[in-house]
Coordinates of all heavy atoms in Angstrom, one line a residue:
H1 N -18.2 18.2 -29.5 CA -18.8 19.5 -29.9 C -20.0 19.9 -29.1 O -20.3 21.1 -29.1 CB -19.1 19.4 -31.4 CG -17.8 19.2 -32.2 ND1 -17.8 18.5 -33.4 CD2 -16.6 19.5 -32.0 CE1 -16.6 18.5 -33.9 NE2 -15.8 19.1 -33.1
S2 N -20.6 18.9 -28.5 CA -21.8 19.3 -27.7 C -21.3 20.1 -26.5 O -22.1 20.9 -26.0 CB -22.5 18.0 -27.3 OG -21.7 17.2 -26.5
S3 N -20.1 19.9 -26.0 CA -19.6 20.6 -24.9 C -19.5 22.1 -25.3 O -19.8 23.0 -24.4 CB -18.3 20.1 -24.4 OG -18.4 18.8 -23.9
S4 N -19.1 22.3 -26.5 CA -18.9 23.7 -27.0 C -20.3 24.4 -27.1 O -20.4 25.5 -26.7 CB -18.2 23.7 -28.3 OG -16.9 23.2 -28.3
L5 N -21.3 23.6 -27.5 CA -22.6 24.2 -27.7 C -23.2 24.5 -26.3 O -23.7 25.6 -26.0 CB -23.5 23.2 -28.4 CG -25.0 23.6 -28.5 CD1 -25.1 24.9 -29.3 CD2 -25.8 22.5 -29.1
L6 N -23.0 23.6 -25.3 CA -23.5 23.8 -23.9 C -22.8 25.0 -23.3 O -23.4 25.8 -22.6 CB -23.3 22.6 -23.1 CG -24.2 21.4 -23.5 CD1 -23.9 20.1 -22.7 CD2 -25.7 21.7 -23.4
A7 N -21.5 25.1 -23.5 CA -20.8 26.3 -23.0 C -21.3 27.6 -23.6 O -21.4 28.6 -22.8 CB -19.3 26.1 -23.2
A8 N -21.5 27.6 -24.9 CA -22.0 28.8 -25.5 C -23.4 29.2 -24.9 O -23.7 30.4 -24.7 CB -22.1 28.6 -27.0
V9 N -24.2 28.2 -24.7 CA -25.6 28.5 -24.2 C -25.5 29.0 -22.8 O -26.1 30.0 -22.4 CB -26.5 27.3 -24.2 CG1 -27.8 27.4 -23.4 CG2 -26.8 26.9 -25.7
Y10 N -24.6 28.4 -22.0 CA -24.4 28.9 -20.6 C -23.8 30.3 -20.6 O -24.3 31.2 -19.8 CB -23.4 28.0 -19.8 CG -23.3 28.4 -18.4 CD1 -24.2 28.0 -17.5 CD2 -22.2 29.1 -18.0 CE1 -24.1 28.4 -16.2 CE2 -22.1 29.5 -16.7 CZ -23.0 29.1 -15.7 OH -22.9 29.6 -14.5
L11 N -22.8 30.6 -21.4 CA -22.3 31.9 -21.4 C -23.3 33.0 -22.0 O -23.4 34.1 -21.4 CB -21.0 32.0 -22.3 CG -19.8 31.2 -21.7 CD1 -18.7 31.1 -22.7 CD2 -19.4 31.8 -20.4
Y12 N -24.1 32.6 -22.9 CA -25.2 33.4 -23.4 C -26.2 33.8 -22.3 O -26.6 34.9 -22.1 CB -25.9 32.7 -24.6 CG -27.0 33.5 -25.2 CD1 -26.8 34.7 -26.0 CD2 -28.3 33.1 -25.0 CE1 -27.9 35.4 -26.5 CE2 -29.4 33.8 -25.6 CZ -29.1 35.0 -26.3 OH -30.2 35.7 -26.8
D13 N -26.6 32.8 -21.6 CA -27.5 33.0 -20.5 C -26.8 33.9 -19.4 O -27.5 34.8 -18.8 CB -27.9 31.6 -19.8 CG -28.7 31.8 -18.6 OD1 -29.9 32.3 -18.7 OD2 -28.3 31.5 -17.5
T14 N -25.6 33.7 -19.2 CA -24.9 34.5 -18.2 C -24.9 36.0 -18.6 O -25.1 36.9 -17.8 CB -23.4 34.0 -18.0 OG1 -23.5 32.7 -17.5 CG2 -22.7 34.9 -16.9
V15 N -24.6 36.2 -19.9 CA -24.6 37.6 -20.4 C -26.0 38.2 -20.3 O -26.1 39.4 -19.9 CB -24.0 37.6 -21.8 CG1 -24.2 39.0 -22.5 CG2 -22.5 37.3 -21.8
L16 N -27.0 37.4 -20.6 CA -28.3 38.0 -20.6 C -28.8 38.3 -19.2 O -29.6 39.2 -19.0 CB -29.3 36.9 -21.2 CG -29.3 36.8 -22.7 CD1 -30.4 35.7 -23.1 CD2 -29.6 38.1 -23.4
T17 N -28.3 37.6 -18.2 CA -28.8 37.9 -16.8 C -27.8 38.8 -16.0 O -28.1 38.9 -14.8 CB -29.0 36.5 -16.1 OG1 -27.7 35.8 -16.1 CG2 -30.0 35.7 -16.8
I18 N -26.9 39.4 -16.6 CA -26.0 40.3 -15.9 C -26.7 41.4 -15.2 O -26.5 41.7 -14.1 CB -24.8 40.8 -16.8 CG1 -23.8 39.7 -17.0 CG2 -24.2 42.0 -16.2 CD1 -22.7 40.0 -18.0
P19 N -27.6 42.1 -15.9 CA -28.4 43.2 -15.2 C -29.1 42.7 -13.9 O -29.1 43.3 -12.9 CB -29.3 43.7 -16.3 CG -28.7 43.3 -17.6 CD -28.0 42.0 -17.3
D20 N -29.8 41.5 -14.1 CA -30.4 41.0 -12.9 C -29.5 40.6 -11.8 O -29.7 40.8 -10.6 CB -31.2 39.7 -13.3 CG -32.4 40.0 -14.2 OD1 -32.9 41.2 -14.1 OD2 -32.8 39.1 -14.9
S21 N -28.4 40.1 -12.2 CA -27.3 39.7 -11.2 C -26.8 40.9 -10.5 O -26.6 40.9 -9.2 CB -26.2 38.9 -11.9 OG -25.2 38.6 -11.0
I22 N -26.5 42.0 -11.2 CA -26.1 43.2 -10.6 C -27.1 43.8 -9.6 O -26.7 44.1 -8.5 CB -25.7 44.3 -11.6 CG1 -24.5 43.8 -12.4 CG2 -25.5 45.6 -11.0 CD1 -24.2 44.6 -13.6
E23 N -28.3 43.7 -10.0 CA -29.4 44.3 -9.2 C -29.7 43.5 -7.9 O -29.8 44.0 -6.8 CB -30.7 44.5 -10.0 CG -31.8 45.0 -9.2 CD -33.1 45.0 -9.9 OE1 -33.1 45.0 -11.2 OE2 -34.2 45.2 -9.3
L24 N -29.8 42.2 -8.1 CA -30.2 41.3 -7.1 C -29.1 40.7 -6.2 O -29.3 40.3 -5.1 CB -31.0 40.1 -7.7 CG -32.2 40.5 -8.4 CD1 -32.8 39.3 -9.2 CD2 -33.3 41.2 -7.5
I25 N -27.8 40.7 -6.7 CA -26.7 40.1 -5.9 C -25.7 41.2 -5.5 O -25.4 41.4 -4.4 CB -26.1 39.0 -6.7 CG1 -27.1 37.9 -7.0 CG2 -24.9 38.4 -5.9 CD1 -27.7 37.2 -5.8
W26 N -25.2 41.9 -6.5 CA -24.0 42.7 -6.3 C -24.4 44.1 -5.5 O -23.6 44.6 -4.8 CB -23.4 43.1 -7.5 CG -22.7 41.9 -8.2 CD1 -23.2 41.2 -9.2 CD2 -21.5 41.3 -7.8 NE1 -22.4 40.2 -9.6 CE2 -21.3 40.2 -8.7 CE3 -20.6 41.5 -6.8 CZ2 -20.2 39.3 -8.6 CZ3 -19.5 40.7 -6.7 CH2 -19.3 39.6 -7.6
C27 N -25.7 44.5 -5.7 CA -26.1 45.8 -5.0 C -26.7 45.6 -3.7 O -27.3 46.5 -3.1 CB -27.0 46.5 -6.0 SG -26.2 47.2 -7.5
R28 N -26.7 44.4 -3.2 CA -27.2 44.1 -1.8 C -26.1 43.7 -0.9 O -25.0 43.4 -1.3 CB -28.3 43.1 -2.0 CG -29.4 43.5 -2.8 CD -30.5 42.4 -2.9 NE -31.5 42.9 -3.8 CZ -32.8 43.0 -3.5 NH1 -33.2 42.8 -2.2 NH2 -33.7 43.4 -4.4
K29 N -26.5 43.6 0.4 CA -25.6 43.1 1.4 C -25.2 41.7 1.1 O -26.0 40.8 0.7 CB -26.3 43.1 2.7 CG -25.4 42.8 3.9 CD -26.2 42.9 5.2 CE -26.2 41.5 5.9 NZ -27.0 41.4 7.1
I30 N -23.9 41.4 1.3 CA -23.4 40.0 1.0 C -23.9 39.1 2.1 O -23.7 39.3 3.3 CB -21.8 40.1 1.0 CG1 -21.3 41.0 -0.1 CG2 -21.3 38.7 0.8 CD1 -21.7 40.5 -1.5
T31 N -24.5 38.0 1.6 CA -24.9 36.9 2.5 C -24.3 35.6 2.1 O -23.7 35.5 1.0 CB -26.5 36.8 2.5 OG1 -26.8 36.4 1.1 CG2 -27.2 38.1 2.8
P32 N -24.4 34.6 2.9 CA -23.9 33.3 2.5 C -24.5 32.8 1.2 O -23.9 32.2 0.4 CB -24.2 32.3 3.7 CG -24.2 33.3 4.9 CD -24.8 34.5 4.3
A33 N -25.8 33.1 1.0 CA -26.5 32.7 -0.2 C -25.9 33.4 -1.4 O -25.7 32.8 -2.5 CB -28.0 32.9 -0.1
S34 N -25.6 34.7 -1.3 CA -25.1 35.4 -2.4 C -23.6 35.0 -2.7 O -23.3 34.9 -3.9 CB -25.1 36.9 -2.2 OG -24.4 37.3 -1.0
V35 N -22.9 34.6 -1.7 CA -21.5 34.1 -1.9 C -21.6 32.8 -2.7 O -20.9 32.5 -3.7 CB -20.8 33.9 -0.6 CG1 -19.5 33.1 -0.8 CG2 -20.5 35.2 0.0
L36 N -22.5 31.9 -2.3 CA -22.8 30.6 -3.1 C -23.2 30.9 -4.5 O -22.7 30.2 -5.4 CB -23.8 29.8 -2.4 CG -23.3 29.1 -1.1 CD1 -24.5 28.4 -0.4 CD2 -22.2 28.1 -1.3
Y37 N -24.0 31.9 -4.7 CA -24.5 32.2 -6.1 C -23.3 32.7 -6.9 O -23.1 32.2 -8.0 CB -25.5 33.3 -6.0 CG -25.9 33.8 -7.4 CD1 -26.8 33.1 -8.2 CD2 -25.3 35.0 -7.9 CE1 -27.1 33.6 -9.5 CE2 -25.5 35.5 -9.1 CZ -26.4 34.8 -9.9 OH -26.7 35.2 -11.2
I38 N -22.5 33.6 -6.3 CA -21.4 34.2 -7.1 C -20.4 33.1 -7.4 O -19.8 33.0 -8.5 CB -20.7 35.3 -6.2 CG1 -21.7 36.5 -6.2 CG2 -19.4 35.7 -6.8 CD1 -21.3 37.5 -5.1
L39 N -20.0 32.2 -6.4 CA -19.1 31.1 -6.7 C -19.6 30.2 -7.7 O -18.8 29.8 -8.6 CB -18.8 30.3 -5.4 CG -17.9 31.1 -4.3 CD1 -17.9 30.3 -3.0 CD2 -16.6 31.4 -4.8
N40 N -20.8 29.8 -7.6 CA -21.4 28.9 -8.6 C -21.5 29.5 -10.0 O -21.1 28.9 -11.0 CB -22.9 28.5 -8.2 CG -23.5 27.5 -9.1 OD1 -22.9 26.5 -9.5 ND2 -24.7 27.8 -9.5
R41 N -21.9 30.7 -10.1 CA -22.1 31.4 -11.4 C -20.7 31.6 -12.1 O -20.6 31.3 -13.3 CB -22.8 32.7 -11.2 CG -23.2 33.3 -12.4 CD -24.3 32.5 -13.1 NE -25.1 33.3 -14.0 CZ -26.1 32.8 -14.7 NH1 -26.3 31.5 -14.6 NH2 -26.7 33.6 -15.6
Y42 N -19.7 32.2 -11.3 CA -18.5 32.7 -12.0 C -17.4 31.6 -12.0 O -16.6 31.6 -12.9 CB -18.1 34.0 -11.4 CG -19.2 35.0 -11.7 CD1 -20.1 35.4 -10.6 CD2 -19.5 35.5 -12.9 CE1 -21.1 36.3 -10.9 CE2 -20.5 36.3 -13.2 CZ -21.3 36.8 -12.2 OH -22.3 37.6 -12.4
L43 N -17.4 30.7 -11.1 CA -16.4 29.6 -11.2 C -16.8 28.6 -12.3 O -15.9 28.0 -12.9 CB -16.3 28.9 -9.8 CG -15.4 29.6 -8.8 CD1 -15.5 28.7 -7.5 CD2 -14.0 29.8 -9.2
T44 N -18.0 28.5 -12.5 CA -18.5 27.7 -13.7 C -17.9 28.2 -15.0 O -17.5 27.5 -15.8 CB -20.0 27.6 -13.7 OG1 -20.5 27.0 -12.5 CG2 -20.5 26.7 -14.9
I45 N -17.9 29.6 -15.1 CA -17.4 30.2 -16.4 C -15.9 29.9 -16.4 O -15.4 29.5 -17.5 CB -17.7 31.7 -16.4 CG1 -19.1 32.0 -16.5 CG2 -16.9 32.4 -17.5 CD1 -19.5 33.4 -16.3
V46 N -15.2 30.0 -15.4 CA -13.7 29.7 -15.4 C -13.5 28.2 -15.8 O -12.7 27.9 -16.6 CB -13.1 30.0 -14.0 CG1 -11.7 29.5 -14.0 CG2 -13.2 31.5 -13.8
L47 N -14.3 27.3 -15.2 CA -14.1 25.9 -15.5 C -14.5 25.6 -17.0 O -13.8 24.8 -17.6 CB -15.0 25.1 -14.6 CG -14.5 25.1 -13.1 CD1 -15.5 24.3 -12.2 CD2 -13.1 24.5 -12.9
L48 N -15.5 26.3 -17.5 CA -15.9 26.1 -18.9 C -14.7 26.6 -19.8 O -14.4 25.9 -20.8 CB -17.1 26.9 -19.2 CG -18.4 26.2 -18.8 CD1 -19.6 27.2 -19.0 CD2 -18.7 25.0 -19.5
V49 N -14.2 27.7 -19.5 CA -13.1 28.2 -20.3 C -11.9 27.2 -20.3 O -11.3 26.9 -21.3 CB -12.7 29.6 -19.9 CG1 -11.3 30.0 -20.5 CG2 -13.7 30.6 -20.2
L50 N -11.5 26.8 -19.1 CA -10.4 25.8 -19.0 C -10.8 24.5 -19.8 O -9.9 23.9 -20.4 CB -10.2 25.5 -17.5 CG -9.6 26.6 -16.7 CD1 -9.5 26.3 -15.3 CD2 -8.2 27.0 -17.2
E51 N -12.0 24.0 -19.6 CA -12.4 22.8 -20.3 C -12.3 23.0 -21.8 O -11.8 22.1 -22.6 CB -13.8 22.4 -19.9 CG -14.4 21.3 -20.6 CD -14.0 19.9 -20.1 OE1 -13.5 19.9 -18.9 OE2 -14.0 18.9 -20.8
L52 N -12.8 24.1 -22.3 CA -12.8 24.3 -23.8 C -11.4 24.5 -24.3 O -11.0 24.0 -25.4 CB -13.6 25.5 -24.1 CG -15.2 25.4 -24.0 CD1 -15.9 26.7 -24.2 CD2 -15.7 24.3 -24.9
S53 N -10.5 25.1 -23.5 CA -9.1 25.3 -24.0 C -8.4 23.9 -23.9 O -7.6 23.6 -24.9 CB -8.4 26.3 -23.1 OG -8.2 25.9 -21.8
A54 N -8.7 23.1 -23.0 CA -8.1 21.7 -22.9 C -8.6 20.9 -24.1 O -7.8 20.2 -24.7 CB -8.4 21.0 -21.6
M55 N -9.9 21.0 -24.5 CA -10.4 20.3 -25.6 C -9.8 20.8 -26.9 O -9.5 20.0 -27.8 CB -12.0 20.5 -25.7 CG -12.7 19.7 -24.6 SD -14.5 20.0 -24.6 CE -14.9 20.3 -26.3
A56 N -9.6 22.1 -27.1 CA -9.0 22.6 -28.2 C -7.6 22.2 -28.4 O -7.1 21.8 -29.5 CB -9.1 24.1 -28.3
E57 N -6.8 22.2 -27.3 CA -5.4 21.8 -27.3 C -5.3 20.3 -27.7 O -4.5 19.9 -28.5 CB -4.8 22.1 -25.9 CG -3.3 21.7 -25.9 CD -2.7 22.0 -24.6 OE1 -3.0 23.1 -24.0 OE2 -1.9 21.2 -24.1
S58 N -6.2 19.5 -27.1 CA -6.2 18.0 -27.4 C -6.5 17.8 -28.8 O -5.9 17.0 -29.5 CB -7.2 17.4 -26.5 OG -7.4 16.0 -26.9
D59 N -7.5 18.6 -29.4 CA -7.9 18.4 -30.8 C -6.8 18.8 -31.7 O -6.5 18.1 -32.7 CB -9.1 19.3 -31.0 CG -9.7 19.0 -32.4 OD1 -9.8 17.8 -32.8 OD2 -10.2 19.9 -33.0
C60 N -6.1 19.9 -31.4 CA -4.9 20.3 -32.2 C -3.8 19.3 -32.1 O -3.1 19.0 -33.2 CB -4.4 21.6 -31.7 SG -5.5 23.0 -32.1
T61 N -3.5 18.7 -31.0 CA -2.5 17.6 -30.9 C -2.9 16.4 -31.7 O -2.0 15.9 -32.4 CB -2.3 17.2 -29.4 OG1 -2.0 18.4 -28.6 CG2 -1.2 16.2 -29.3
V62 N -4.1 16.0 -31.6 CA -4.5 14.8 -32.4 C -4.4 15.1 -33.9 O -3.9 14.3 -34.7 CB -6.0 14.5 -32.1 CG1 -6.5 13.4 -33.1 CG2 -6.0 13.9 -30.7
R63 N -4.9 16.3 -34.4 CA -4.7 16.7 -35.8 C -3.3 16.8 -36.2 O -2.9 16.4 -37.3 CB -5.4 18.0 -36.0 CG -6.9 17.8 -36.0 CD -7.6 19.1 -36.4 NE -9.1 18.9 -36.2 CZ -9.9 19.9 -36.4 NH1 -9.5 21.1 -36.7 NH2 -11.2 19.7 -36.2
S64 N -2.4 17.3 -35.4 CA -1.0 17.4 -35.7 C -0.4 16.0 -35.9 O 0.4 15.8 -36.8 CB -0.3 18.2 -34.6 OG 1.1 18.2 -34.8
L65 N -0.7 15.1 -35.0 CA -0.2 13.8 -35.0 C -0.7 13.1 -36.3 O 0.0 12.4 -37.0 CB -0.6 12.9 -33.8 CG 0.2 13.3 -32.5 CD1 -0.4 12.5 -31.4 CD2 1.7 13.2 -32.6
S66 N -2.0 13.3 -36.7 CA -2.5 12.7 -37.9 C -1.8 13.3 -39.1 O -1.5 12.4 -40.0 CB -4.0 13.0 -37.9 OG -4.7 12.4 -36.9
L67 N -1.6 14.5 -39.1 CA -0.9 15.1 -40.3 C 0.6 14.6 -40.4 O 1.1 14.3 -41.5 CB -0.8 16.6 -40.2 CG -2.2 17.3 -40.4 CD1 -2.1 18.8 -40.1 CD2 -2.7 17.0 -41.8
Q68 N 1.2 14.4 -39.2 CA 2.6 13.9 -39.2 C 2.6 12.4 -39.8 O 3.4 12.0 -40.5 CB 3.2 13.9 -37.9 CG 3.6 15.3 -37.4 CD 4.0 15.3 -36.0 OE1 4.0 14.3 -35.3 NE2 4.4 16.5 -35.5
N69 N 1.6 11.6 -39.3 CA 1.5 10.2 -39.8 C 1.2 10.2 -41.3 O 1.7 9.3 -42.0 CB 0.5 9.5 -39.0 CG 1.0 9.2 -37.6 OD1 2.1 9.3 -37.3 ND2 0.0 9.0 -36.7
A70 N 0.4 11.1 -41.8 CA 0.0 11.1 -43.2 C 1.2 11.5 -44.0 O 1.4 10.9 -45.1 CB -1.2 12.0 -43.4
S71 N 2.0 12.4 -43.5 CA 3.1 12.8 -44.4 C 4.2 11.8 -44.4 O 5.1 11.7 -45.3 CB 3.7 14.2 -43.8 OG 4.2 14.0 -42.5
A72 N 4.3 10.9 -43.3 CA 5.3 9.9 -43.3 C 5.0 8.8 -44.3 O 5.9 8.0 -44.7 CB 5.3 9.3 -41.9
L73 N 3.7 8.7 -44.7 CA 3.4 7.6 -45.7 C 3.9 8.0 -47.0 O 4.3 7.8 -47.9 CB 1.9 7.4 -45.7 CG 1.2 6.9 -44.4 CD1 -0.3 6.8 -44.5 CD2 1.8 5.5 -44.1

């Protein structure tokens, strides 16, 4: 559950800093530093979403197996 909390904080920070990101990165000439920033910032979001979906799927599978075992008793 701590992963979910950390992801929420990261996404909250990302949303709060969108205006700064637009002004300081997107509205200027693309440089290697800005490419690294963009990759770091937005690939992290993609990886967080994938991680959270994998955790949710795993959690559902474990709960489903537990329910099946409980009903077999």
Side-chain angles (χ1 to χ4, degrees):
H1 298 150
S2 62
S3 296
S4 300
L5 176 63
L6 293 173
V9 169
Y10 183 82
L11 293 174
Y12 178 72
D13 176 65
T14 300
V15 169
L16 285 180
T17 58
I18 284 175
D20 293 335
S21 180
I22 291 170
E23 178 185 345
L24 299 172
I25 300 297
W26 295 102
C27 291
R28 296 181 186 241
K29 186 178 121 183
I30 299 295
T31 64
S34 62
V35 170
L36 285 175
Y37 172 84
I38 291 166
L39 289 174
N40 181 48
R41 191 66 160 176
Y42 299 105
L43 282 179
T44 302
I45 293 171
V46 171
L47 293 175
L48 281 173
V49 168
L50 292 173
E51 175 80 23
L52 291 173
S53 66
M55 286 174 37
E57 183 178 318
S58 172
D59 190 39
C60 289
T61 303
V62 169
R63 286 185 184 176
S64 174
L65 290 174
S66 296
L67 290 174
Q68 288 174 357
N69 289 339
S71 66
L73 297 175

